Amino acid sequence: MIVLAPYWVSYPEIVQLCGATAVTVACGADSGFKLTADALATAITPRTRWLILNSPSNPTGAVYSREDLQALAEALLAHPQVLVLSDDIYEHLIFDGLEFFTLAQVEPRLRERVLTMNGVSKAYAMTGWRIGFGTGPGWLIEAMEKLQGQQTSGACTISQHAALAALTGPQDFIAQSRVAFQRRRGAVVELLNQAPGLHCQIPQGAFYAFASCEGLRGKTTAAGQRLASDEDVVNALLDEAGVATVHGSAFGLGPYIRIAYALDDASLQRACEAIQQFCRTLSD
Ligand SMILES: Cc1ncc(COP(=O)(O)O)c(C=O)c1O
């Protein structure tokens, strides 16, 4: 299974649990952390069975445009043995007036081999209710039902009704939360880019900023910790600045730090200022 790095941490583990092998394809800053059609064509072999796509992305916030997906679809059409899991969980968290697109919509010829996944965790802030859903070819959904029926016996009915209420009730708050997230994204990226040693592209979706911390490598903190890796940066930020971030290498691509901005504006401002202060007090 092709997993794109940086990836949501669960993907390689899920692949392993299924007895498959995760083949990681690095999608770095130069391609906006997105898979290109060329990279996909190079990665696919006769043994490839799946590709996992996630747009908007956790951890980078990268968003695939219609054109991006069309180009990937062209490459996929040449390899009929490859199925695609499209994880659309951040569908509604998309900024700058961009429109959300998903692979099965962009290329109907791929519909018979695309599993489109979504859920109520992100747009409806209902993480604890544990409801996700998917659509795809009948044979696959039937197999998924068999597996889930034995593993969990299905989703709790209370959660199902809560999810139904969320999906069929008024949707206007989604636009409001999008505005709030866009404002927070702007503030966080600006403040991070003012921190010496950090560099952050502007993410177009989800609620994460993925900042390169290459410029901090080799420096020493005020408390005397040497920063050899992004994990060192994350640990020192927690110890010395009181800010919780996640290192990029946990997502398969370092040296980066991921900042989740699903938090109120004042706390984010405080956290980013603490990160700035941390970076300013580092020594060579
Ligand atoms: C990319 C991605 N997919 C899926 C999920 C799963 O969300 P949940 O299990 O809450 O539905 C998450 C949660 O963080 C995620 O980031």
mmCIF file of all heavy atoms in Angstrom, residues 8 11 54 58 87 89-90 121-122 127 130, ligand 1:
data_model
loop_
_atom_site.group_PDB
_atom_site.id
_atom_site.type_symbol
_atom_site.label_atom_id
_atom_site.label_comp_id
_atom_site.label_asym_id
_atom_site.label_seq_id
_atom_site.Cartn_x
_atom_site.Cartn_y
_atom_site.Cartn_z
ATOM 1 N N TRP A 8 -0.789 10.745 8.287
ATOM 2 C CA TRP A 8 -1.461 10.610 9.588
ATOM 3 C C TRP A 8 -0.866 9.352 10.233
ATOM 4 O O TRP A 8 -0.759 8.310 9.572
ATOM 5 C CB TRP A 8 -2.972 10.471 9.387
ATOM 6 C CG TRP A 8 -3.732 10.263 10.670
ATOM 7 C CD1 TRP A 8 -3.538 10.931 11.856
ATOM 8 C CD2 TRP A 8 -4.798 9.342 10.894
ATOM 9 N NE1 TRP A 8 -4.418 10.470 12.794
ATOM 10 C CE2 TRP A 8 -5.211 9.497 12.235
ATOM 11 C CE3 TRP A 8 -5.454 8.403 10.104
ATOM 12 C CZ2 TRP A 8 -6.231 8.751 12.795
ATOM 13 C CZ3 TRP A 8 -6.481 7.668 10.652
ATOM 14 C CH2 TRP A 8 -6.863 7.845 11.980
ATOM 15 N N TYR A 11 -1.922 5.546 9.618
ATOM 16 C CA TYR A 11 -1.946 4.817 8.329
ATOM 17 C C TYR A 11 -0.965 3.643 8.269
ATOM 18 O O TYR A 11 -1.372 2.524 7.950
ATOM 19 C CB TYR A 11 -1.692 5.756 7.146
ATOM 20 C CG TYR A 11 -2.767 6.761 6.837
ATOM 21 C CD1 TYR A 11 -2.441 7.996 6.281
ATOM 22 C CD2 TYR A 11 -4.118 6.494 7.063
ATOM 23 C CE1 TYR A 11 -3.406 8.935 5.976
ATOM 24 C CE2 TYR A 11 -5.093 7.438 6.762
ATOM 25 C CZ TYR A 11 -4.730 8.654 6.214
ATOM 26 O OH TYR A 11 -5.681 9.579 5.916
ATOM 27 N N ASN A 54 -5.171 11.778 1.386
ATOM 28 C CA ASN A 54 -5.829 12.508 2.468
ATOM 29 C C ASN A 54 -5.750 14.001 2.178
ATOM 30 O O ASN A 54 -4.699 14.599 2.241
ATOM 31 C CB ASN A 54 -5.127 12.154 3.799
ATOM 32 C CG ASN A 54 -5.580 12.996 4.974
ATOM 33 O OD1 ASN A 54 -4.781 13.411 5.803
ATOM 34 N ND2 ASN A 54 -6.860 13.257 5.067
ATOM 35 N N ASN A 58 -3.742 15.854 7.225
ATOM 36 C CA ASN A 58 -3.107 15.849 8.530
ATOM 37 C C ASN A 58 -1.766 15.143 8.304
ATOM 38 O O ASN A 58 -1.778 13.991 7.858
ATOM 39 C CB ASN A 58 -3.953 15.061 9.539
ATOM 40 C CG ASN A 58 -3.286 14.927 10.898
ATOM 41 O OD1 ASN A 58 -2.262 15.531 11.149
ATOM 42 N ND2 ASN A 58 -3.892 14.121 11.764
ATOM 43 N N ASP A 87 -9.338 9.678 2.177
ATOM 44 C CA ASP A 87 -9.736 10.073 3.530
ATOM 45 C C ASP A 87 -10.096 11.552 3.497
ATOM 46 O O ASP A 87 -9.225 12.422 3.475
ATOM 47 C CB ASP A 87 -8.562 9.790 4.483
ATOM 48 C CG ASP A 87 -8.891 10.151 5.921
ATOM 49 O OD1 ASP A 87 -9.904 10.829 6.168
ATOM 50 O OD2 ASP A 87 -8.118 9.747 6.810
ATOM 51 N N ILE A 89 -11.801 13.351 5.742
ATOM 52 C CA ILE A 89 -12.318 13.752 7.054
ATOM 53 C C ILE A 89 -12.253 15.268 7.295
ATOM 54 O O ILE A 89 -13.040 15.816 8.053
ATOM 55 C CB ILE A 89 -11.613 12.952 8.182
ATOM 56 C CG1 ILE A 89 -12.370 13.043 9.505
ATOM 57 C CG2 ILE A 89 -10.184 13.376 8.379
ATOM 58 C CD1 ILE A 89 -13.037 11.801 9.926
ATOM 59 N N TYR A 90 -11.314 15.960 6.628
ATOM 60 C CA TYR A 90 -11.207 17.425 6.813
ATOM 61 C C TYR A 90 -11.905 18.205 5.695
ATOM 62 O O TYR A 90 -11.617 19.388 5.485
ATOM 63 C CB TYR A 90 -9.730 17.842 6.906
ATOM 64 C CG TYR A 90 -9.027 17.289 8.118
ATOM 65 C CD1 TYR A 90 -8.239 16.151 8.035
ATOM 66 C CD2 TYR A 90 -9.181 17.884 9.367
ATOM 67 C CE1 TYR A 90 -7.617 15.620 9.152
ATOM 68 C CE2 TYR A 90 -8.557 17.355 10.490
ATOM 69 C CZ TYR A 90 -7.786 16.229 10.378
ATOM 70 O OH TYR A 90 -7.170 15.704 11.491
ATOM 71 N N SER A 121 -16.015 13.673 13.162
ATOM 72 C CA SER A 121 -15.047 14.123 14.171
ATOM 73 C C SER A 121 -14.573 15.561 13.980
ATOM 74 O O SER A 121 -14.393 16.282 14.960
ATOM 75 C CB SER A 121 -13.802 13.229 14.134
ATOM 76 O OG SER A 121 -14.072 11.997 14.721
ATOM 77 N N LYS A 122 -14.330 15.946 12.745
ATOM 78 C CA LYS A 122 -13.654 17.229 12.533
ATOM 79 C C LYS A 122 -14.646 18.365 12.308
ATOM 80 O O LYS A 122 -14.704 19.297 13.104
ATOM 81 C CB LYS A 122 -12.680 17.124 11.360
ATOM 82 C CG LYS A 122 -11.755 15.915 11.422
ATOM 83 C CD LYS A 122 -10.847 15.893 12.632
ATOM 84 C CE LYS A 122 -10.043 14.599 12.685
ATOM 85 N NZ LYS A 122 -9.290 14.434 13.926
ATOM 86 N N THR A 127 -15.555 14.243 17.886
ATOM 87 C CA THR A 127 -14.550 13.173 17.937
ATOM 88 C C THR A 127 -14.972 12.030 18.858
ATOM 89 O O THR A 127 -14.854 10.861 18.511
ATOM 90 C CB THR A 127 -13.203 13.764 18.423
ATOM 91 O OG1 THR A 127 -12.919 14.900 17.630
ATOM 92 C CG2 THR A 127 -12.090 12.757 18.299
ATOM 93 N N ARG A 130 -17.350 8.834 17.858
ATOM 94 C CA ARG A 130 -16.780 7.702 17.125
ATOM 95 C C ARG A 130 -17.601 7.273 15.914
ATOM 96 O O ARG A 130 -17.849 6.078 15.736
ATOM 97 C CB ARG A 130 -16.540 6.491 18.057
ATOM 98 C CG ARG A 130 -15.813 6.757 19.346
ATOM 99 C CD ARG A 130 -14.508 7.504 19.188
ATOM 100 N NE ARG A 130 -13.640 6.931 18.199
ATOM 101 C CZ ARG A 130 -13.005 7.691 17.291
ATOM 102 N NH1 ARG A 130 -13.157 9.000 17.247
ATOM 103 N NH2 ARG A 130 -12.241 7.114 16.411
HETATM 104 C C1 LIG B 1 -6.353 12.121 8.503
HETATM 105 C C2 LIG B 1 -7.255 11.569 9.542
HETATM 106 N N1 LIG B 1 -8.083 10.580 9.206
HETATM 107 C C3 LIG B 1 -8.911 10.038 10.102
HETATM 108 C C4 LIG B 1 -8.939 10.487 11.399
HETATM 109 C C5 LIG B 1 -9.855 9.748 12.330
HETATM 110 O O1 LIG B 1 -10.753 10.487 12.986
HETATM 111 P P1 LIG B 1 -11.810 9.742 13.898
HETATM 112 O O2 LIG B 1 -11.251 8.425 14.286
HETATM 113 O O3 LIG B 1 -11.988 10.654 15.067
HETATM 114 O O4 LIG B 1 -13.037 9.627 13.058
HETATM 115 C C6 LIG B 1 -8.086 11.505 11.806
HETATM 116 C C7 LIG B 1 -8.046 11.975 13.205
HETATM 117 O O5 LIG B 1 -7.170 12.654 13.650
HETATM 118 C C8 LIG B 1 -7.227 12.075 10.849
HETATM 119 O O6 LIG B 1 -6.389 13.067 11.153
#
